[in-house]
Amino acid sequence: MVQTKSDWGVLRGFVRVAADARTRYDHDGDAVVDLRKIEDSYYYGALDEAWVQWNGLKVGVQPSMFGFNRLPTVVTPGYSSIVNTLGASYTLGISRNASLSLAFEDPERRIMADGILARPARSNMPDLVAMARIATPSTLYHLSGALHHVEDHVLSDFVGGRDTSVWGWALSAGLQSRLAWQDIVGPAGEDTFGRFSFTAAYSSGALAFLGIPFFA
């Protein structure tokens, strides 16, 4: 990460890539270590994050505004868009403890392996995602929603029908609260703290926002 401050605000740049830990040997017997690929794509695999941020505006490969309870907070975040994707987002601080965010996100990373009968093509429309967060001294509250356009061509592939163009949507709500184990187990939990989290989500026509294919 690089960062600079000026009278215009804070400018940041961040890049994170992942190497594939499974080495292999080529025909000459030399060890080969490559960047991680998914479906033969570095964008899907190796490029975890790569963005530029000026104050509240962020452009590049970044965490989705829809997700909540992502790594490393929990090991297996449920019903959350856990992939990072290319997008442009803006976060407005309403107060020190409240914010509103709006993002246009690339849907391509979310349509991998959504099912056998569902054959969505890459839409020319970006996903529209909005998020609101409010923090109290002990609890963070999260609410997000998304609109997703998809063109499914399963009918044209199998029976010669027409492609289906639909708008899907998804909603997510959750909270994460500070937890003092002493309040639960007594003196044995003194000075030991943790988190309690809860997430609920619903989707229609935009199942990839619930974590498919990495969580389903």
Side-chain angles (χ1 to χ4, degrees), residues 89-140:
S89 64
Y90 185 78
T91 298
L92 176 65
I94 304 300
S95 68
R96 183 178 180 181
N97 298 315
S99 66
L100 294 174
S101 301
L102 182 67
F104 295 95
E105 300 180 357
D106 178 17
E108 184 175 3
R109 256 187 168 177
R110 294 195 183 97
I111 64 175
M112 296 182 296
D114 268 358
I116 298 173
L117 295 181
R119 295 194 172 189
R122 187 186 187 282
S123 174
N124 293 324
M125 300 288 294
D127 291 337
L128 178 62
V129 185
M131 179 184 71
R133 285 186 174 177
I134 299 176
T136 68
S138 61
T139 305
L140 172 66

Side-chain angles (χ1 to χ4, degrees), residues 49-122:
E49 291 187 56
W51 46 261
V52 175
Q53 181 178 8
W54 176 60
N55 294 330
L57 178 65
K58 182 187 289 186
V59 178
V61 180
Q62 56 187 287
S64 172
M65 289 293 177
F66 186 82
F68 187 55
N69 279 350
R70 291 168 51 101
L71 296 171
T73 303
V74 293
V75 177
T76 54
Y79 303 114
S80 176
S81 180
I82 61 175
V83 295
N84 297 338
T85 187
L86 182 65
S89 64
Y90 185 78
T91 298
L92 176 65
I94 304 300
S95 68
R96 183 178 180 181
N97 298 315
S99 66
L100 294 174
S101 301
L102 182 67
F104 295 95
E105 300 180 357
D106 178 17
E108 184 175 3
R109 256 187 168 177
R110 294 195 183 97
I111 64 175
M112 296 182 296
D114 268 358
I116 298 173
L117 295 181
R119 295 194 172 189
R122 187 186 187 282

Side-chain angles (χ1 to χ4, degrees), residues 21-42:
R22 296 170 297 174
T23 59
R24 62 180 176 85
Y25 292 94
D26 61 17
H27 296 295
D28 298 324
D30 297 325
V32 177
V33 180
D34 196 4
L35 295 179
R36 185 175 61 192
K37 283 186 178 181
I38 297 178
E39 296 187 359
D40 202 33
S41 170
Y42 291 119

Side-chain angles (χ1 to χ4, degrees), residues 148-168:
H148 172 72
H149 179 261
V150 65
E151 294 182 1
D152 193 285
H153 51 89
V154 63
L155 288 179
S156 61
D157 285 355
F158 286 98
V159 297
R162 293 185 299 176
D163 293 345
T164 302
S165 179
V166 297
W167 281 94

